[in-house]
Amino acid sequence: MMPSIRPLGDSAVIIQWSSADDADISRSVRQLTDVLNAFGPSDSTSRFTAVVPAYTSITVHFCLSRMSFQQAARIIEQGLSRTEDLLAGAPALIEIPVCFDEVFAPDLADVAGRHHLKRDEVIRRFSDAEYSVRMLGFSPGFPYLSGLPTELATPRRSSPRLKVPRGSVAIGGAQAGIYSQETPGGWHIIGRTPLSLFRAELARPCLLMAGDQVRFVPMSAEEFQRWQDEQ
Amino acid sequence: MSIVRVIRAGLLTTIQDLGRPGFRQFGVPTGGAMDRFSHELANRLVGNLPTAATLEMTLSGDELEFLGPTLIAITGGEFSPITTNMEQLSIPQNKPVHVSAGTRIRFQTAQRGCRCYLAVAGGFSVPEIMGSRSTLSSAQLGGLQGRALKSGDELPVGDLKSAGPGLVAVKEHVAISFPAWFVRPLALPAGDMVTLRVLPGEHSSMMSAESQLRFRDESFLITSQSDRMGYRLAATPLILENTSDMLSEGTAMGTVQLPPDGRPILLMADSAPTGGYRRIAHVISADLPLAAQVRPGQFLRFLETTMEEARSLFQKQRANLDHAITMAGLMPGVRVSERLPEPTGSAP
């Protein structure tokens, strides 16, 4: 499946896939991102300043005094031909502990009520599913997750909260996400993880990367507390 | 190590450099100086690398005290800097200026432009976070504790040796001194109407035919809801014929987005790396420094150009910068290294 390659302004290129099969696109995005990221400093003629994977696209930024759109597009085409011999390794599976205790889950009752489910049933279904990180965005390290069971999909809150605590696990439409920093937010908050999703001081600042698989593991309030004390 | 003390903080002054482009994939905005041309010019005038951190002042500047003798350069918007601890001397812009220990300089309200840049030889040496010293206020990181300057702050200045071979001997006995020459600065907005050249966005044809014409012909007010993340523009709302939702995709500094309310947003340095609104145009790289110098209350017009012209204008701008710096090196008064190595991810 060949994506389209089009300019995004004078110093970026957007590579877009269209297909009915979500998993197919997700794999293509992950593979090409890996290949483009691997064009390292030793290969400076084909180096991009940024490679940004999203749901069905990758945006590549380049330095305008170093290359033109045509040159960037050629490098991307070379990258695409290399993805074919790339063995797709299994994505990393990362477990995220989540406390669904009421203090951390102001919208859990509401979400349960809307879908005529018991709280515990929402937690069970939410934790049984396996999610895939489609992109990082909104705020540094915020993962957009696909894989939410359809019966838990909940439209965003009509008025966003001004402050959502860091680590809040939330549902927004058909997606799930984790607030990596304290920011405003309009998704339904159903739990909280004690893990840090974004630590600017680390060489690899994000816990999750596009392409990773995620599972949520329920934890008690005591465990949450202990975890936080240890950090 | 020298120190610059903030006697009285301006409206919004932050430490900036060329940002963190490589971290966009983690959801981190590139950030860095809004007007990269003036930022780099200031750095080059004092012998710094383009990656050194400068101060970016917005609309109304700070009063600063230089605790040690140093070499500075001021570029970008015209903030009429004057000395305040001696006879009120005007400090000229776009040239290197020696200041003696204890000199106080007050940057006033911008007469023209919106942002001015102050470089000191050695650069402001706050810690690097994710490869950059730039302040990202939205995530409270970088710069000085991730925030704008406050009165009483003390800004560390880097070691001159690490800054490159740009600095001449600082004259201890003179309060301030500077050469007669100056380099050609960025052309600041001449009036309240500023034309920015754009390339069409992927979704421009999703606007109604009438809106496509209006985008080309009308002027757009830069509203007060404008900051380092982006400028919210006001005009008769532009109409999207295709209002279907889209998945978030990459954006860039200079992207003009059209949200469903029909009021375009011009994305600037601190904008998020991705967005879910339609992209109707992209301001070309060569005009982004000018875009950084317009202010709320002024108007923008968009003029369509071609990819080829966008690239040649950018290269011409780079050549002007290089030429200015070469000239500076030949002039008496300051010594600039032959040809400074380029930072990663920037121009050759």
Side-chain angles (χ1 to χ4, degrees), chain B residues 276-345:
Chain B
Y277 294 136
R278 301 290 173 183
R279 302 181 296 274
I280 56 170
H282 301 273
V283 174
I284 64 171
S285 298
D287 282 350
L288 288 175
L290 178 61
Q293 293 295 352
V294 293
R295 45 169 99 167
Q298 294 183 320
F299 292 85
L300 292 180
R301 296 186 82 126
F302 298 107
L303 177 70
E304 198 168 311
T305 182
T306 63
M307 187 71 89
E308 291 66 37
E309 197 187 355
R311 187 156 195 244
S312 104
L313 287 165
F314 183 76
Q315 284 167 332
K316 206 181 288 173
Q317 195 175 61
R318 295 297 314 178
N320 281 345
L321 189 62
D322 289 344
H323 178 69
I325 301 312
T326 309
M327 288 307 292
L330 298 174
M331 299 287 183
V334 68
R335 184 164 51 82
V336 176
S337 71
E338 25 321 324
R339 181 136 172 117
L340 298 164
E342 281 301 321
T344 37

Side-chain angles (χ1 to χ4, degrees), chain A:
Chain A
M1 181 185 41
M2 286 306 276
S4 68
I5 299 174
R6 279 194 285 253
L8 189 141
D10 61 12
S11 50
V13 178
I14 185 161
I15 309 154
Q16 287 159 313
W17 284 263
S18 61
S19 154
D21 186 353
D22 220 39
D24 232 27
I25 295 183
S26 183
R27 192 173 50 247
S28 301
V29 168
R30 201 173 74 233
Q31 284 179 336
L32 184 60
T33 302
D34 287 349
V35 170
L36 296 180
N37 272 327
F39 287 145
S42 59
D43 201 2
S44 66
T45 49
S46 54
R47 192 157 55 139
F48 297 121
T49 51
V51 176
V52 188
Y55 280 90
T56 58
S57 67
I58 302 174
T59 301
V60 168
H61 299 257
F62 61 88
C63 177
L64 193 49
S65 44
R66 194 170 284 171
M67 63 177 88
S68 64
F69 166 73
Q70 285 79 5
Q71 286 164 320
R74 263 200 299 282
I75 296 165
I76 292 162
E77 277 159 13
Q78 285 164 15
L80 278 166
S81 66
R82 286 197 211 174
T83 57
E84 276 145 36
D85 1 294
L86 193 76
L87 286 173
L93 174 65
I94 294 157
E95 297 197 329
I96 308 269
V98 180
C99 179
F100 294 95
D101 216 65
E102 267 181 75
V103 278
F104 300 134
D107 299 325
L108 183 54
D110 189 33
V111 169
R114 240 179 231 261
H115 302 297
H116 311 289
L117 294 169
K118 292 200 168 119
R119 276 176 70 102
D120 288 353
E121 190 57 20
V122 172
I123 296 169
R124 192 187 65 76
R125 291 183 193 210
F126 188 77
S127 315
D128 277 354
E130 197 166 291
Y131 301 82
S132 155
V133 180
R134 298 302 296 272
M135 60 181 277
L136 299 177
F138 176 64
S139 67
F142 181 106
Y144 285 90
L145 304 170
S146 63
L148 181 75
T150 46
E151 69 274 18
L152 297 183
T154 315
R156 292 161 202 215
R157 289 163 52 87
S158 49
S159 86
R161 286 190 173 85
L162 290 176
K163 275 185 185 176
V164 174
R166 190 179 120 116
S168 292
V169 175
I171 292 174
Q175 303 171 90
I178 308 167
Y179 285 90
S180 55
Q181 298 196 307
E182 183 183 280
T183 53
W187 290 17
H188 299 272
I189 305 166
I190 63 164
R192 196 184 301 175
T193 176
L195 295 184
S196 295
L197 275 93
F198 177 73
R199 292 171 66 188
E201 68 278 13
L202 301 183
R204 191 178 176 277
C206 297
L207 177 68
L208 302 174
M209 290 288 289
D212 288 346
Q213 296 292 111
V214 168
R215 216 190 326 244
F216 294 106
V217 182
M219 75 193 310
S220 69
E222 294 72 42
E223 283 171 313
F224 184 96
Q225 196 52 50
R226 209 173 317 135
W227 199 301
Q228 269 206 325
D229 292 345
E230 279 167 20
Q231 277 185 354

Side-chain angles (χ1 to χ4, degrees), chain B residues 205-271:
Chain B
S205 60
M206 286 183 182
M207 285 189 286
S208 68
E210 181 265 348
S211 288
Q212 291 180 44
L213 285 179
R214 280 203 288 119
F215 181 69
R216 211 186 55 194
D217 296 335
E218 269 185 19
S219 49
F220 295 85
L221 172 72
I222 301 171
T223 69
S224 57
Q225 285 175 291
S226 297
D227 55 21
R228 287 183 42 90
M229 290 165 109
Y231 300 167
R232 285 176 183 269
L233 307 179
T236 315
L238 297 169
I239 293 155
L240 273 176
E241 287 187 328
N242 181 341
T243 54
S244 61
D245 270 351
M246 67 175 254
L247 292 168
S248 284
E249 290 181 335
T251 54
M253 183 177 179
T255 296
V256 182
Q257 287 187 330
L258 189 60
D261 71 2
R263 294 167 203 281
I265 301 171
L266 169 58
L267 299 181
M268 295 300 286
D270 283 355
S271 57

Side-chain angles (χ1 to χ4, degrees), chain B residues 2-38:
Chain B
S2 184
I3 296 275
V4 176
R5 181 186 287 153
V6 182
I7 303 296
R8 208 179 54 188
L11 190 60
L12 173 69
T13 300
T14 53
I15 292 174
Q16 297 296 343
D17 57 18
L18 295 177
R20 316 178 163 84
F23 290 81
R24 289 180 82 84
Q25 60 175 313
F26 302 114
V28 179
T30 300
M34 289 275 276
D35 171 357
R36 280 163 152 67
F37 180 90
S38 299

Side-chain angles (χ1 to χ4, degrees), chain B residues 136-221:
Chain B
L136 183 62
S137 309
S138 60
Q140 290 157 32
L141 62 84
L144 197 71
Q145 298 155 22
R147 59 166 171 81
L149 301 190
K150 290 196 294 212
S151 303
D153 281 343
E154 296 201 336
L155 313 175
V157 173
D159 188 355
L160 295 183
K161 287 193 196 82
S162 68
L167 185 64
V168 295
V170 170
K171 298 174 189 165
E172 291 281 355
H173 59 287
V174 192
I176 61 165
S177 65
F178 44 81
W181 58 265
F182 64 94
V183 295
R184 187 205 298 266
L186 179 79
L188 293 170
D192 280 342
M193 180 71 72
V194 174
T195 301
L196 300 176
R197 287 162 290 196
V198 295
L199 294 174
E202 192 176 323
H203 308 126
S204 58
S205 60
M206 286 183 182
M207 285 189 286
S208 68
E210 181 265 348
S211 288
Q212 291 180 44
L213 285 179
R214 280 203 288 119
F215 181 69
R216 211 186 55 194
D217 296 335
E218 269 185 19
S219 49
F220 295 85
L221 172 72

